[in-house]
Amino acid sequence: MVNGSRTAPPPAAPAAPARIQVADLRLSYGDKEVIHGISFDVRANEILGVIGPAQSGKSSMLRCLNRTIEFVAGARVAGTVHVDGEDVSRTRDVHALRRKIGMVAPLPVGLPLTIYDNVAFAPRCAGLRDRAELDALVEHCLRQAALWDEVKDRLGSLGTALSGGQQQRLTIARALSHRPEVLCLDEFSIAIDPVTTMRIEDVLKELRREITIILVTNLTQQARRLADRTMFMLNGRIVELDRTDVVFSEQPGSRQTWDYVNGNFG
Amino acid sequence: MTAPAPAPRPQRSRLERLGESLLEGLIRLSGVSAIVFVLAIFFFVFREAAPVVFSRNFDLWKFLFSIEWYPTSASNVRYGTFALTVGSFAVTALAMAIAVPFGLGAAIYLSEFCGRRLRETLKIVIELLSAIPSVVWGFIALTVTSKLVVDATGAAVGVNVLNGGVVLALMSVPIIVSIGEDALKAVPDSYREAALALGATRWQVVYRVLLPAARNGLLAAVLLGVGRAVGETMAVLMATGHAVHIPGSLLDSVRTLTANIAAELGEAPVGSDHYRVLFLTGVLLFCITFAVNIVADLAIRGVRRRG
């Protein structure tokens, strides 16, 4: 416990290259603007925590990164998002972009396929056919999502028949299956028990060596445990983005941050 | 401080409860009535046919597997329906070979790839297509498509298996399209979005997610199309040439079970052997559609168990 999960991990070096650059991002649903021009960078191999109350635009912001926002009728995006220097709105292959950015949604959607096929779905779409390779990948991803032991004997049963928490871990395994370079987790632990959550958090700390993680969470303590930097969003604006130890310190950059983090908001 | 007297818990009136149980009974009755109707139809058709089945000079084997159908022969009356059964199967199989790919393709296009305005237009047109009476289809088969068949293939007569199959396909496609589209639309959008978010292309979403998820509905669509094709009478009567004959090629004329009943029942004296054999042919048709449904049901279960 001494140097365990309590202390914030060391901040990434300031020179770390930006993986994602968001510039003046605006998002409206119909006439209603919900994100009012936000700009931030996500650095390579960091965990960026995103906290903020409901309706502050966290999930919508994530959906702008891999352009799944396009599925929402009436959504309009302005401003630019660059992933590894490439403007996502001009990308030639949006499918490759979506494989590069893994996304775990707060309400898990198990595809109506077997557990195995759920995890093998994205690799197969990307063209992986080799059975042995798929087998290994499926097992690896399910282990990372702390689900393997529970489902290893019934990989052939329907993914939609799993419990809520298991389905959520299934979507985590699925998001890891296409070997993303950026992993976006939106409230991944809503339906997962604390012990399993801790196991997944350990995996995330491991993963940081290989990939970049954006962690949207309502559990401020989760951001405090995991994130290198933390972004506080409120009403479609960024109130503060700084090192996690600063955001959670007694003197963050904004009074609102302090209020939110300490639970006496509003 | 005395607590206020608790208000009596609200309770539904006797009348309301009575009405509800009445409604439940009514719904149950309408559900059960379907079974009753099917059994009743089977019973009455079979009652008309029964005397001939139990008569001494009737041979069930010959009825099913002889190709000789001479119901009005002066010297030697023979009732063999095999050629008719083969005719029905040939026309239906050809119709399905054409209609299933077209129908499912159109359903997938309508539900997944086409714009909203075009979809509404197409759906109206397809519904119009399914509203055309079968005698009109028969008329088209007789006067339009049969000539096209002769022109295209050089066949001696235009009314043959090919002609009947094409017309039946045209008649079944609207059913397959509208039921199939409903089945695909019933798949929740969240599946599509989840699959797209994993980097799937729209086509990959269709064949990896939607087709498996909607397979029961799609199978039902195909089956209803088959049902329409097997049961169709007037159009095939006019389109296939009405020759009792096992077809050697697509360009031979055939007669189907249904067309045979329609054409001859009016001429057969009520109560005669011929009349009763025609009813028995109806029982045979009934058994065929029943078998098709059972097989499909088993197929769905099999798919479900594997899935």
Side-chain angles (χ1 to χ4, degrees), chain A residues 125-166:
Chain A
C125 284
L128 184 61
R129 293 276 176 281
D130 185 74
R131 184 75 194 193
E133 226 174 303
L134 276 173
D135 286 348
L137 184 61
V138 167
E139 179 176 344
H140 180 67
C141 294
L142 284 170
R143 278 190 193 284
Q144 284 189 315
L147 188 60
W148 174 254
D149 291 332
E150 287 162 58
V151 301
K152 65 183 171 197
D153 298 323
R154 49 182 176 129
L155 292 174
S157 56
L158 270 181
T160 38
L162 292 173
S163 76
Q166 288 173 325

mmCIF file of all heavy atoms in Angstrom, chain A residues 125-166:
data_model
loop_
_atom_site.group_PDB
_atom_site.id
_atom_site.type_symbol
_atom_site.label_atom_id
_atom_site.label_comp_id
_atom_site.label_asym_id
_atom_site.label_seq_id
_atom_site.Cartn_x
_atom_site.Cartn_y
_atom_site.Cartn_z
ATOM 1 N N CYS A 125 -12.927 -8.808 -39.256
ATOM 2 C CA CYS A 125 -13.266 -7.720 -40.180
ATOM 3 C C CYS A 125 -11.997 -7.125 -40.783
ATOM 4 O O CYS A 125 -11.999 -6.643 -41.915
ATOM 5 C CB CYS A 125 -14.059 -6.620 -39.469
ATOM 6 S SG CYS A 125 -15.767 -7.071 -39.167
ATOM 7 N N ALA A 126 -10.916 -7.151 -39.985
ATOM 8 C CA ALA A 126 -9.662 -6.603 -40.488
ATOM 9 C C ALA A 126 -8.948 -7.588 -41.399
ATOM 10 O O ALA A 126 -7.909 -7.270 -41.976
ATOM 11 C CB ALA A 126 -8.756 -6.215 -39.320
ATOM 12 N N GLY A 127 -9.475 -8.817 -41.515
ATOM 13 C CA GLY A 127 -8.915 -9.767 -42.462
ATOM 14 C C GLY A 127 -8.150 -10.918 -41.860
ATOM 15 O O GLY A 127 -7.555 -11.705 -42.577
ATOM 16 N N LEU A 128 -8.166 -11.049 -40.513
ATOM 17 C CA LEU A 128 -7.453 -12.169 -39.890
ATOM 18 C C LEU A 128 -8.292 -13.437 -40.030
ATOM 19 O O LEU A 128 -9.439 -13.482 -39.613
ATOM 20 C CB LEU A 128 -7.201 -11.861 -38.413
ATOM 21 C CG LEU A 128 -6.385 -12.895 -37.638
ATOM 22 C CD1 LEU A 128 -4.999 -13.048 -38.227
ATOM 23 C CD2 LEU A 128 -6.293 -12.514 -36.170
ATOM 24 N N ARG A 129 -7.717 -14.468 -40.631
ATOM 25 C CA ARG A 129 -8.486 -15.690 -40.861
ATOM 26 C C ARG A 129 -7.911 -16.880 -40.094
ATOM 27 O O ARG A 129 -8.612 -17.833 -39.803
ATOM 28 C CB ARG A 129 -8.483 -16.047 -42.358
ATOM 29 C CG ARG A 129 -9.222 -15.080 -43.219
ATOM 30 C CD ARG A 129 -10.705 -15.381 -43.252
ATOM 31 N NE ARG A 129 -11.438 -14.385 -44.011
ATOM 32 C CZ ARG A 129 -11.773 -13.204 -43.555
ATOM 33 N NH1 ARG A 129 -11.441 -12.840 -42.323
ATOM 34 N NH2 ARG A 129 -12.429 -12.347 -44.300
ATOM 35 N N ASP A 130 -6.638 -16.819 -39.768
ATOM 36 C CA ASP A 130 -5.947 -17.965 -39.199
ATOM 37 C C ASP A 130 -6.544 -18.355 -37.857
ATOM 38 O O ASP A 130 -6.594 -17.564 -36.912
ATOM 39 C CB ASP A 130 -4.465 -17.636 -39.027
ATOM 40 C CG ASP A 130 -3.689 -18.835 -38.553
ATOM 41 O OD1 ASP A 130 -3.460 -19.739 -39.361
ATOM 42 O OD2 ASP A 130 -3.340 -18.871 -37.348
ATOM 43 N N ARG A 131 -7.028 -19.596 -37.777
ATOM 44 C CA ARG A 131 -7.773 -20.025 -36.608
ATOM 45 C C ARG A 131 -6.919 -20.006 -35.339
ATOM 46 O O ARG A 131 -7.345 -19.533 -34.280
ATOM 47 C CB ARG A 131 -8.326 -21.436 -36.868
ATOM 48 C CG ARG A 131 -9.206 -21.973 -35.790
ATOM 49 C CD ARG A 131 -10.575 -21.332 -35.817
ATOM 50 N NE ARG A 131 -11.292 -21.609 -34.578
ATOM 51 C CZ ARG A 131 -12.588 -21.404 -34.408
ATOM 52 N NH1 ARG A 131 -13.298 -20.882 -35.384
ATOM 53 N NH2 ARG A 131 -13.160 -21.679 -33.259
ATOM 54 N N ALA A 132 -5.705 -20.518 -35.446
ATOM 55 C CA ALA A 132 -4.852 -20.593 -34.259
ATOM 56 C C ALA A 132 -4.543 -19.191 -33.737
ATOM 57 O O ALA A 132 -4.577 -18.923 -32.528
ATOM 58 C CB ALA A 132 -3.560 -21.337 -34.606
ATOM 59 N N GLU A 133 -4.265 -18.285 -34.662
ATOM 60 C CA GLU A 133 -3.967 -16.914 -34.272
ATOM 61 C C GLU A 133 -5.178 -16.274 -33.592
ATOM 62 O O GLU A 133 -5.055 -15.594 -32.569
ATOM 63 C CB GLU A 133 -3.590 -16.119 -35.525
ATOM 64 C CG GLU A 133 -2.359 -15.244 -35.364
ATOM 65 C CD GLU A 133 -1.987 -14.618 -36.688
ATOM 66 O OE1 GLU A 133 -1.766 -15.365 -37.663
ATOM 67 O OE2 GLU A 133 -1.944 -13.384 -36.754
ATOM 68 N N LEU A 134 -6.361 -16.531 -34.176
ATOM 69 C CA LEU A 134 -7.593 -15.997 -33.586
ATOM 70 C C LEU A 134 -7.804 -16.563 -32.184
ATOM 71 O O LEU A 134 -8.130 -15.826 -31.245
ATOM 72 C CB LEU A 134 -8.788 -16.343 -34.470
ATOM 73 C CG LEU A 134 -9.074 -15.428 -35.655
ATOM 74 C CD1 LEU A 134 -10.185 -16.007 -36.511
ATOM 75 C CD2 LEU A 134 -9.437 -14.030 -35.205
ATOM 76 N N ASP A 135 -7.605 -17.874 -32.059
ATOM 77 C CA ASP A 135 -7.775 -18.508 -30.745
ATOM 78 C C ASP A 135 -6.900 -17.835 -29.695
ATOM 79 O O ASP A 135 -7.358 -17.480 -28.609
ATOM 80 C CB ASP A 135 -7.408 -20.000 -30.820
ATOM 81 C CG ASP A 135 -8.479 -20.814 -31.525
ATOM 82 O OD1 ASP A 135 -9.575 -20.265 -31.749
ATOM 83 O OD2 ASP A 135 -8.208 -21.977 -31.855
ATOM 84 N N ALA A 136 -5.657 -17.653 -30.053
ATOM 85 C CA ALA A 136 -4.710 -17.058 -29.099
ATOM 86 C C ALA A 136 -5.119 -15.637 -28.757
ATOM 87 O O ALA A 136 -5.082 -15.212 -27.594
ATOM 88 C CB ALA A 136 -3.298 -17.085 -29.693
ATOM 89 N N LEU A 137 -5.542 -14.903 -29.788
ATOM 90 C CA LEU A 137 -5.919 -13.501 -29.582
ATOM 91 C C LEU A 137 -7.148 -13.403 -28.675
ATOM 92 O O LEU A 137 -7.198 -12.581 -27.750
ATOM 93 C CB LEU A 137 -6.192 -12.852 -30.948
ATOM 94 C CG LEU A 137 -6.504 -11.364 -30.935
ATOM 95 C CD1 LEU A 137 -5.327 -10.590 -30.377
ATOM 96 C CD2 LEU A 137 -6.848 -10.885 -32.327
ATOM 97 N N VAL A 138 -8.126 -14.274 -28.938
ATOM 98 C CA VAL A 138 -9.356 -14.245 -28.140
ATOM 99 C C VAL A 138 -9.025 -14.530 -26.677
ATOM 100 O O VAL A 138 -9.486 -13.832 -25.771
ATOM 101 C CB VAL A 138 -10.372 -15.276 -28.693
ATOM 102 C CG1 VAL A 138 -11.504 -15.492 -27.704
ATOM 103 C CG2 VAL A 138 -10.924 -14.804 -30.027
ATOM 104 N N GLU A 139 -8.195 -15.548 -26.457
ATOM 105 C CA GLU A 139 -7.856 -15.868 -25.070
ATOM 106 C C GLU A 139 -7.118 -14.710 -24.404
ATOM 107 O O GLU A 139 -7.432 -14.316 -23.277
ATOM 108 C CB GLU A 139 -6.995 -17.147 -25.015
ATOM 109 C CG GLU A 139 -6.619 -17.478 -23.580
ATOM 110 C CD GLU A 139 -5.850 -18.780 -23.442
ATOM 111 O OE1 GLU A 139 -5.869 -19.585 -24.401
ATOM 112 O OE2 GLU A 139 -5.243 -18.976 -22.377
ATOM 113 N N HIS A 140 -6.174 -14.143 -25.125
ATOM 114 C CA HIS A 140 -5.377 -13.039 -24.578
ATOM 115 C C HIS A 140 -6.276 -11.872 -24.175
ATOM 116 O O HIS A 140 -6.158 -11.329 -23.083
ATOM 117 C CB HIS A 140 -4.347 -12.611 -25.627
ATOM 118 C CG HIS A 140 -3.476 -11.484 -25.177
ATOM 119 N ND1 HIS A 140 -2.566 -11.615 -24.150
ATOM 120 C CD2 HIS A 140 -3.391 -10.201 -25.607
ATOM 121 C CE1 HIS A 140 -1.947 -10.463 -23.969
ATOM 122 N NE2 HIS A 140 -2.435 -9.591 -24.831
ATOM 123 N N CYS A 141 -7.194 -11.507 -25.082
ATOM 124 C CA CYS A 141 -8.059 -10.350 -24.814
ATOM 125 C C CYS A 141 -9.015 -10.632 -23.656
ATOM 126 O O CYS A 141 -9.263 -9.764 -22.819
ATOM 127 C CB CYS A 141 -8.854 -9.970 -26.055
ATOM 128 S SG CYS A 141 -7.819 -9.374 -27.384
ATOM 129 N N LEU A 142 -9.553 -11.850 -23.629
ATOM 130 C CA LEU A 142 -10.471 -12.177 -22.538
ATOM 131 C C LEU A 142 -9.735 -12.198 -21.201
ATOM 132 O O LEU A 142 -10.283 -11.827 -20.163
ATOM 133 C CB LEU A 142 -11.141 -13.528 -22.799
ATOM 134 C CG LEU A 142 -12.258 -13.501 -23.849
ATOM 135 C CD1 LEU A 142 -12.698 -14.895 -24.213
ATOM 136 C CD2 LEU A 142 -13.446 -12.689 -23.363
ATOM 137 N N ARG A 143 -8.466 -12.640 -21.206
ATOM 138 C CA ARG A 143 -7.681 -12.611 -19.974
ATOM 139 C C ARG A 143 -7.449 -11.172 -19.524
ATOM 140 O O ARG A 143 -7.579 -10.838 -18.349
ATOM 141 C CB ARG A 143 -6.329 -13.288 -20.188
ATOM 142 C CG ARG A 143 -6.386 -14.793 -20.089
ATOM 143 C CD ARG A 143 -4.974 -15.373 -20.059
ATOM 144 N NE ARG A 143 -4.986 -16.811 -20.266
ATOM 145 C CZ ARG A 143 -5.339 -17.692 -19.331
ATOM 146 N NH1 ARG A 143 -5.663 -17.261 -18.126
ATOM 147 N NH2 ARG A 143 -5.337 -18.974 -19.599
ATOM 148 N N GLN A 144 -7.103 -10.317 -20.490
ATOM 149 C CA GLN A 144 -6.860 -8.916 -20.140
ATOM 150 C C GLN A 144 -8.105 -8.279 -19.534
ATOM 151 O O GLN A 144 -8.023 -7.432 -18.658
ATOM 152 C CB GLN A 144 -6.428 -8.133 -21.373
ATOM 153 C CG GLN A 144 -4.977 -8.412 -21.775
ATOM 154 C CD GLN A 144 -4.512 -7.482 -22.859
ATOM 155 O OE1 GLN A 144 -5.226 -7.253 -23.836
ATOM 156 N NE2 GLN A 144 -3.331 -6.943 -22.708
ATOM 157 N N ALA A 145 -9.270 -8.682 -20.028
ATOM 158 C CA ALA A 145 -10.506 -8.105 -19.518
ATOM 159 C C ALA A 145 -11.002 -8.847 -18.280
ATOM 160 O O ALA A 145 -12.116 -8.610 -17.831
ATOM 161 C CB ALA A 145 -11.576 -8.135 -20.607
ATOM 162 N N ALA A 146 -10.183 -9.740 -17.745
ATOM 163 C CA ALA A 146 -10.523 -10.492 -16.530
ATOM 164 C C ALA A 146 -11.805 -11.283 -16.679
ATOM 165 O O ALA A 146 -12.618 -11.366 -15.764
ATOM 166 C CB ALA A 146 -10.618 -9.554 -15.317
ATOM 167 N N LEU A 147 -12.012 -11.826 -17.857
ATOM 168 C CA LEU A 147 -13.241 -12.578 -18.115
ATOM 169 C C LEU A 147 -12.957 -14.030 -18.466
ATOM 170 O O LEU A 147 -13.843 -14.879 -18.399
ATOM 171 C CB LEU A 147 -14.016 -11.896 -19.251
ATOM 172 C CG LEU A 147 -15.418 -12.390 -19.583
ATOM 173 C CD1 LEU A 147 -16.320 -12.250 -18.371
ATOM 174 C CD2 LEU A 147 -16.002 -11.639 -20.761
ATOM 175 N N TRP A 148 -11.705 -14.328 -18.806
ATOM 176 C CA TRP A 148 -11.360 -15.640 -19.354
ATOM 177 C C TRP A 148 -11.814 -16.778 -18.451
ATOM 178 O O TRP A 148 -12.463 -17.724 -18.891
ATOM 179 C CB TRP A 148 -9.863 -15.713 -19.608
ATOM 180 C CG TRP A 148 -9.396 -17.066 -20.038
ATOM 181 C CD1 TRP A 148 -8.699 -17.959 -19.298
ATOM 182 C CD2 TRP A 148 -9.602 -17.676 -21.312
ATOM 183 N NE1 TRP A 148 -8.451 -19.089 -20.020
ATOM 184 C CE2 TRP A 148 -8.998 -18.947 -21.263
ATOM 185 C CE3 TRP A 148 -10.245 -17.269 -22.488
ATOM 186 C CZ2 TRP A 148 -9.001 -19.820 -22.344
ATOM 187 C CZ3 TRP A 148 -10.259 -18.147 -23.559
ATOM 188 C CH2 TRP A 148 -9.641 -19.399 -23.485
ATOM 189 N N ASP A 149 -11.490 -16.678 -17.143
ATOM 190 C CA ASP A 149 -11.782 -17.794 -16.254
ATOM 191 C C ASP A 149 -13.272 -18.087 -16.171
ATOM 192 O O ASP A 149 -13.680 -19.218 -15.943
ATOM 193 C CB ASP A 149 -11.237 -17.497 -14.852
ATOM 194 C CG ASP A 149 -9.711 -17.504 -14.866
ATOM 195 O OD1 ASP A 149 -9.153 -18.217 -15.716
ATOM 196 O OD2 ASP A 149 -9.110 -16.778 -14.056
ATOM 197 N N GLU A 150 -14.083 -17.049 -16.339
ATOM 198 C CA GLU A 150 -15.523 -17.258 -16.212
ATOM 199 C C GLU A 150 -16.148 -17.846 -17.471
ATOM 200 O O GLU A 150 -17.197 -18.463 -17.406
ATOM 201 C CB GLU A 150 -16.220 -15.930 -15.890
ATOM 202 C CG GLU A 150 -15.971 -15.477 -14.465
ATOM 203 C CD GLU A 150 -16.275 -14.007 -14.265
ATOM 204 O OE1 GLU A 150 -17.412 -13.605 -14.525
ATOM 205 O OE2 GLU A 150 -15.361 -13.265 -13.873
ATOM 206 N N VAL A 151 -15.530 -17.631 -18.617
ATOM 207 C CA VAL A 151 -16.201 -18.041 -19.856
ATOM 208 C C VAL A 151 -15.424 -19.061 -20.675
ATOM 209 O O VAL A 151 -15.887 -19.477 -21.725
ATOM 210 C CB VAL A 151 -16.502 -16.818 -20.758
ATOM 211 C CG1 VAL A 151 -17.384 -15.830 -20.034
ATOM 212 C CG2 VAL A 151 -15.225 -16.166 -21.249
ATOM 213 N N LYS A 152 -14.243 -19.499 -20.171
ATOM 214 C CA LYS A 152 -13.395 -20.319 -21.032
ATOM 215 C C LYS A 152 -14.065 -21.627 -21.442
ATOM 216 O O LYS A 152 -13.739 -22.197 -22.469
ATOM 217 C CB LYS A 152 -12.045 -20.595 -20.367
ATOM 218 C CG LYS A 152 -12.155 -21.423 -19.111
ATOM 219 C CD LYS A 152 -10.777 -21.586 -18.475
ATOM 220 C CE LYS A 152 -10.927 -22.237 -17.105
ATOM 221 N NZ LYS A 152 -9.745 -22.066 -16.278
ATOM 222 N N ASP A 153 -15.035 -22.085 -20.621
ATOM 223 C CA ASP A 153 -15.699 -23.348 -20.950
ATOM 224 C C ASP A 153 -16.932 -23.162 -21.818
ATOM 225 O O ASP A 153 -17.579 -24.125 -22.195
ATOM 226 C CB ASP A 153 -16.115 -24.068 -19.662
ATOM 227 C CG ASP A 153 -14.909 -24.416 -18.832
ATOM 228 O OD1 ASP A 153 -13.874 -24.771 -19.432
ATOM 229 O OD2 ASP A 153 -14.989 -24.310 -17.588
ATOM 230 N N ARG A 154 -17.288 -21.934 -22.085
ATOM 231 C CA ARG A 154 -18.512 -21.729 -22.879
ATOM 232 C C ARG A 154 -18.330 -20.589 -23.874
ATOM 233 O O ARG A 154 -19.167 -19.700 -24.000
ATOM 234 C CB ARG A 154 -19.704 -21.464 -21.977
ATOM 235 C CG ARG A 154 -19.431 -20.406 -20.923
ATOM 236 C CD ARG A 154 -20.644 -20.235 -20.033
ATOM 237 N NE ARG A 154 -20.340 -19.282 -18.973
ATOM 238 C CZ ARG A 154 -21.115 -18.247 -18.686
ATOM 239 N NH1 ARG A 154 -22.199 -18.025 -19.350
ATOM 240 N NH2 ARG A 154 -20.788 -17.435 -17.695
ATOM 241 N N LEU A 155 -17.211 -20.668 -24.575
ATOM 242 C CA LEU A 155 -16.936 -19.636 -25.586
ATOM 243 C C LEU A 155 -17.969 -19.671 -26.707
ATOM 244 O O LEU A 155 -18.154 -18.701 -27.418
ATOM 245 C CB LEU A 155 -15.540 -19.844 -26.170
ATOM 246 C CG LEU A 155 -14.392 -19.582 -25.211
ATOM 247 C CD1 LEU A 155 -13.066 -19.954 -25.855
ATOM 248 C CD2 LEU A 155 -14.373 -18.127 -24.793
ATOM 249 N N GLY A 156 -18.641 -20.829 -26.835
ATOM 250 C CA GLY A 156 -19.588 -20.973 -27.935
ATOM 251 C C GLY A 156 -20.994 -20.529 -27.582
ATOM 252 O O GLY A 156 -21.871 -20.587 -28.430
ATOM 253 N N SER A 157 -21.213 -20.048 -26.349
ATOM 254 C CA SER A 157 -22.573 -19.600 -26.030
ATOM 255 C C SER A 157 -22.696 -18.108 -26.321
ATOM 256 O O SER A 157 -21.718 -17.391 -26.494
ATOM 257 C CB SER A 157 -22.923 -19.911 -24.578
ATOM 258 O OG SER A 157 -21.974 -19.329 -23.728
ATOM 259 N N LEU A 158 -23.935 -17.672 -26.340
ATOM 260 C CA LEU A 158 -24.200 -16.311 -26.802
ATOM 261 C C LEU A 158 -23.625 -15.248 -25.867
ATOM 262 O O LEU A 158 -23.806 -15.325 -24.651
ATOM 263 C CB LEU A 158 -25.710 -16.092 -26.913
ATOM 264 C CG LEU A 158 -26.360 -16.420 -28.247
ATOM 265 C CD1 LEU A 158 -27.846 -16.128 -28.190
ATOM 266 C CD2 LEU A 158 -25.705 -15.598 -29.357
ATOM 267 N N GLY A 159 -22.960 -14.257 -26.462
ATOM 268 C CA GLY A 159 -22.416 -13.161 -25.664
ATOM 269 C C GLY A 159 -23.511 -12.335 -25.011
ATOM 270 O O GLY A 159 -23.331 -11.781 -23.931
ATOM 271 N N THR A 160 -24.658 -12.266 -25.662
ATOM 272 C CA THR A 160 -25.752 -11.463 -25.115
ATOM 273 C C THR A 160 -26.399 -12.127 -23.914
ATOM 274 O O THR A 160 -27.186 -11.501 -23.216
ATOM 275 C CB THR A 160 -26.817 -11.227 -26.195
ATOM 276 O OG1 THR A 160 -26.954 -12.411 -26.980
ATOM 277 C CG2 THR A 160 -26.420 -10.097 -27.109
ATOM 278 N N ALA A 161 -26.050 -13.406 -23.659
ATOM 279 C CA ALA A 161 -26.657 -14.088 -22.518
ATOM 280 C C ALA A 161 -25.845 -13.879 -21.245
ATOM 281 O O ALA A 161 -26.255 -14.319 -20.174
ATOM 282 C CB ALA A 161 -26.792 -15.583 -22.818
ATOM 283 N N LEU A 162 -24.708 -13.211 -21.335
ATOM 284 C CA LEU A 162 -23.882 -12.961 -20.151
ATOM 285 C C LEU A 162 -24.552 -11.916 -19.257
ATOM 286 O O LEU A 162 -25.424 -11.171 -19.700
ATOM 287 C CB LEU A 162 -22.503 -12.459 -20.577
ATOM 288 C CG LEU A 162 -21.604 -13.448 -21.305
ATOM 289 C CD1 LEU A 162 -20.358 -12.737 -21.805
ATOM 290 C CD2 LEU A 162 -21.230 -14.591 -20.388
ATOM 291 N N SER A 163 -24.115 -11.868 -18.013
ATOM 292 C CA SER A 163 -24.650 -10.847 -17.116
ATOM 293 C C SER A 163 -24.110 -9.482 -17.525
ATOM 294 O O SER A 163 -23.183 -9.366 -18.327
ATOM 295 C CB SER A 163 -24.236 -11.153 -15.685
ATOM 296 O OG SER A 163 -22.872 -10.799 -15.506
ATOM 297 N N GLY A 164 -24.700 -8.437 -16.955
ATOM 298 C CA GLY A 164 -24.314 -7.077 -17.338
ATOM 299 C C GLY A 164 -22.821 -6.812 -17.173
ATOM 300 O O GLY A 164 -22.155 -6.313 -18.070
ATOM 301 N N GLY A 165 -22.289 -7.199 -16.003
ATOM 302 C CA GLY A 165 -20.875 -6.943 -15.756
ATOM 303 C C GLY A 165 -19.982 -7.755 -16.679
ATOM 304 O O GLY A 165 -18.945 -7.282 -17.148
ATOM 305 N N GLN A 166 -20.410 -8.997 -16.956
ATOM 306 C CA GLN A 166 -19.614 -9.821 -17.872
ATOM 307 C C GLN A 166 -19.658 -9.255 -19.288
ATOM 308 O O GLN A 166 -18.647 -9.242 -19.993
ATOM 309 C CB GLN A 166 -20.155 -11.251 -17.854
ATOM 310 C CG GLN A 166 -19.828 -11.997 -16.579
ATOM 311 C CD GLN A 166 -20.522 -13.344 -16.518
ATOM 312 O OE1 GLN A 166 -21.639 -13.500 -16.993
ATOM 313 N NE2 GLN A 166 -19.864 -14.323 -15.926
#
